[in-house]
Each structure stands twice: as C-alpha cells, then as structure tokens.
Amino acid sequence: MSALEIADIIGIISFAVSGFLIAVHMKLDILGIFISAFLTAFGGGLIRDIIANQKPFIFTDTLPFTLVIITVILSIIFKLHKITDLEGKKAFVLTDTIGLVSFSISGAMIAHDVGFNVVGVVLLALLTAVGGGTLRDIVINRIPAVLVSDFYGAVAIIIGLIIYILDCLEWINYINLLITFAFGIALRLHAYYEKWHLPKLS
C-alpha cells in the first residue's frame, strides 16, 4: 500500500467521524448523519481528483464507502453521539485534525504526481483538506470552518509547502511524510489550544 493510499484511508476514517459528530450535534436524522459523514470524508478527495484529472478513488474501489459505513456504525456502538459541547471535545478536535493533515498530504502528493507547480500543490492540499467539510457545512447551513476557524486552512497550506519543498529536495519518503504528518497534527492542536487566529478586519 502506497503512502498516498494510507493518507487517504486515514483521512477518510477521521473525517467520517468528524462528519458524524457534526451531524449529531446539528440534530440530523440517521440519513443526514450518513450524508454528513460521506460528504466530509469524500468531498475533498473528489475535488482533488477532478482538478488533477484522475479517476476518483471512491468510484474505483469499494473500500472508501465500506470504511465510512463501518466508521459510522462503530461511532454509534461506542456512543460517540452522546458527546455534548462538540467544539470543545477532544474526540472531535483530534479526528478533525488527523483528517485535515492526512488530506493535506494526499492532496499535495497528487499535485506533485501530476506535475503541478508550487501554487497547484498548495491549493490542491488546501482544497483536499477543507473541501469535504466545506460542502458539509454548506448543506447543513453552517458557516464553513475554514472561513472562521483558528488557523485551520493555514495548516493545509503549510503542509502543501512542506511537501513541495521535500519534492524539490528529492526527500519524499515514508519517514519524512510521517514527520510531516506528526508536525501537522502538533501544529494544528497547538494552534487550537493556544487559540491562534489569522488577522481579521474590524
């Protein structure tokens, strides 16, 4: 299994949990919960594959759909829907962070594989990471997190830049990708708990 496939699988599972938790928090019914989980898990990857002119992973393999269904069922079994005060809970923050970083890496790597320049790599990392959550938030009438959240999209941009630099130095390998993954998670969690925000106009 390639590093790209591993990043996709981790991102799908993590964002499926994130979508599940958001849907429960918004009091959606069971169909709404599955739609939220699917949109969050697949939206960014679909946007990525369309831009990169690739066959979407979710249309060529049954694994992604199976992963989301199993993740939602396990989330119900383990009573994750009992979580209250969603935005402050570690389960939501951690799964959302893992999904963000995983999809940032997979988006950047796809861009690298098809020969995009630095702008393409960074934008595809960003769109892959935030695309699913943005589609979900639009559907449930919620302001997309990337527009208001603390340092959220910035993490994806930084990851995209790191992947581009690693490619230029010919340093892309499992170890460096794992270090990038750990750095991305640490950066996002630190930014969240330290309440970092990009400047706003007043």
Side-chain angles (χ1 to χ4, degrees), residues 127-145:
L127 290 172
T128 308
V130 307
T134 300
L135 290 175
R136 173 203 65 208
D137 290 342
I138 290 171
V139 167
I140 63 177
N141 197 28
R142 188 172 182 261
I143 297 175

Side-chain angles (χ1 to χ4, degrees), residues 87-115:
E87 300 295 341
K89 291 298 181 178
K90 292 180 179 178
F92 173 76
V93 175
L94 184 59
T95 56
D96 200 52
T97 296
I98 292 172
L100 171 72
V101 175
S102 298
F103 276 153
S104 298
I105 291 174
S106 75
M109 290 183 65
I110 285 286
H112 150 258
D113 288 345
V114 298

Side-chain angles (χ1 to χ4, degrees), residues 39-51:
L39 276 177
T40 311
F42 298 148
L46 271 174
I47 294 169
R48 174 199 67 198
D49 292 339
I50 290 169
I51 292 175

Side-chain angles (χ1 to χ4, degrees), residues 150-163:
D150 38 25
F151 215 66
Y152 194 82
V155 173
I157 291 172
I158 291 169
I159 294 295
L161 285 171
I162 291 173
I163 296 297

